[in-house]
Amino acid sequence: MKKRFAWVAAIAAIPLLLSGCSPTAAPKDTGSTVDVKLAFITHGAPGDTYWDVVKGGEVRAAKDLGIAVTYQSDPDPVKQSSLIDSAVASGVDGIVVSMANPDGLKDSIQKAIAAGIPVISVDSGLERFKEFGLLTHIGQSEYIAGRGAGEKLKAAGTKKVICVIHEAGNVGLEDRCRGIKDTLGGSVQNLQVDINNLADAQNTIKAKLLADPSIDGVVTLGPPMAVSASAALDEAKSSAKLATFDLSEDVTKLIESGKIVFAVDAQPYLMGYLAVTFLYLHKINGNEVGGGEPVYSGPGYVTKDNVASVAKFAKNGTR
């Protein structure tokens, strides 16, 4: 009987010997008692479907991690800077920002970093995040995404495209149009409209199409504008191909119906989720993700061939 127990004990010890550890060597959960407060401050306009998806990722990450995250947004860089300053004054543990107007936010961001508060940018800010001293940037290269869109439009046979910019001064939107122009091999003209007046934007696109029937491609840079552009194409009885950046339930339906050729997906939900998670890990464990380089969430391209795989998530508001 003693020999039997000796063999059992020896066998039980084998996994510990192979792993090189003891039963008491498990790491402690360093974040179990850490109170983490983060601020998420973007340039998104209220009710913007794209930023609603970003916020959805932020909310889910905060819930999963059990931490406090406040989300605020304002398209005015002066007001966005004020929100950053307030977050610094409140003593948050980290800040997420979008930098559609980097120079307008530079002073406030650098004050946050000088105060020892880590900052991560999402969506806009890829070209400047290193200069500003941010931990990393999460998003896509808007220029590279634009180049990809231009290549797809070229393959679809378009030669004369209007690129609809819905927010003046947004460098990311301008980069998208610039990328399209550099790969299309045809003509690309930017058309400025106002996201806050979709009816007027629809009329502007319609008037452009009626004035120049040779336009064979329209690119919008956000879901609400894609819906307006689709209606404008119908009203103008134009056969121009429509493409867009970013997804929504309406966009996936238009792709399924063939009215949108493709959508460029930057995965904004992922941006919101990862940004919160990265700052949390930085707080509890000193982790710095990216190694000084950006973390790319896109671009992906959604067409009629693969739209079914993402449509249910767009309906849920997470794509």
Side-chain angles (χ1 to χ4, degrees):
M1 183 65 71
K2 289 182 179 179
K3 289 182 178 180
R4 180 182 176 188
F5 283 139
W7 276 106
V8 171
I11 292 171
I14 288 174
L16 298 175
L17 292 172
L18 292 176
S19 64
C21 64
S22 69
T24 60
K28 296 180 180 179
D29 181 1
T30 58
S32 59
T33 60
V34 177
D35 182 21
V36 180
K37 298 183 296 181
L38 306 178
F40 207 114
I41 301 168
T42 77
H43 69 275
D48 188 308
T49 55
Y50 176 87
W51 288 105
D52 284 347
V53 177
V54 175
K55 183 179 179 180
E58 168 265 305
V59 170
R60 180 56 187 263
K63 180 179 179 181
D64 288 350
L65 297 170
I67 62 176
V69 184
T70 58
Y71 181 95
Q72 295 174 290
S73 65
D74 200 299
D76 183 339
V78 175
K79 294 179 180 178
Q80 191 183 359
S81 292
S82 179
L83 292 174
I84 295 170
D85 293 340
S86 295
V88 173
S90 70
V92 295
D93 298 301
I95 299 174
V96 183
V97 298
S98 62
M99 300 195 298
N101 188 322
D103 290 329
L105 306 182
K106 185 175 182 178
D107 288 346
S108 292
I109 289 173
Q110 294 191 332
K111 286 177 184 176
I113 294 172
I117 300 173
V119 182
I120 287 176
S121 58
V122 297
D123 181 69
S124 301
L126 173 64
E127 291 76 15
R128 307 289 296 277
F129 83 93
K130 288 185 182 181
E131 172 192 340
F132 287 13
L134 276 61
L135 288 182
T136 192
H137 172 83
I138 307 169
Q140 66 184 8
S141 165
E142 302 297 1
Y143 175 69
I144 292 174
R147 287 182 62 88
E151 290 169 354
K152 288 186 174 297
L153 287 165
K154 182 177 181 179
T158 60
K159 297 179 180 179
K160 191 169 187 179
V161 171
I162 55 172
C163 190
V164 184
I165 296 180
H166 59 258
E167 185 179 317
N170 187 320
V171 293
L173 300 184
E174 293 169 359
D175 283 345
R176 290 176 174 182
C177 294
R178 182 166 60 89
I180 293 170
K181 184 176 182 179
D182 286 351
T183 56
L184 180 70
S187 169
V188 178
Q189 181 181 355
N190 293 357
L191 181 66
Q192 184 71 55
V193 297
D194 184 359
I195 188 66
N196 297 310
N197 192 336
L198 290 174
D200 184 65
Q202 180 175 320
N203 288 331
T204 300
I205 297 169
K206 175 184 174 181
K208 186 69 175 177
L209 293 169
L210 290 172
D212 188 355
S214 66
I215 294 171
D216 57 7
V218 177
V219 181
T220 58
L221 307 179
M225 204 55 62
V227 175
S228 294
S230 179
L233 285 162
D234 289 342
E235 292 176 355
K237 295 182 171 54
S238 171
S239 60
K241 293 180 172 66
L242 175 61
T244 191
F245 282 69
D246 307 323
L247 290 175
S248 69
E249 183 179 5
D250 288 334
V251 167
T252 57
K253 288 179 179 178
L254 289 169
I255 293 173
E256 289 169 338
S257 69
K259 290 192 172 185
I260 290 181
V261 180
F262 66 85
V264 183
D265 184 15
Q267 300 192 101
Y269 187 87
L270 193 60
M271 295 180 201
Y273 195 96
L274 291 182
V276 170
T277 304
F278 290 173
L279 286 175
Y280 171 78
L281 290 172
H282 183 74
K283 174 66 177 181
I284 71 163
N285 203 45
N287 295 118
E288 294 189 8
V289 180
E293 297 300 319
V295 176
Y296 288 113
S297 62
Y301 299 92
V302 180
T303 68
K304 200 168 186 178
D305 293 334
N306 64 356
V307 67
S309 65
V310 300
K312 63 180 180 180
F313 301 115
K315 185 176 182 179
N316 292 337
T318 57
R319 287 295 290 275

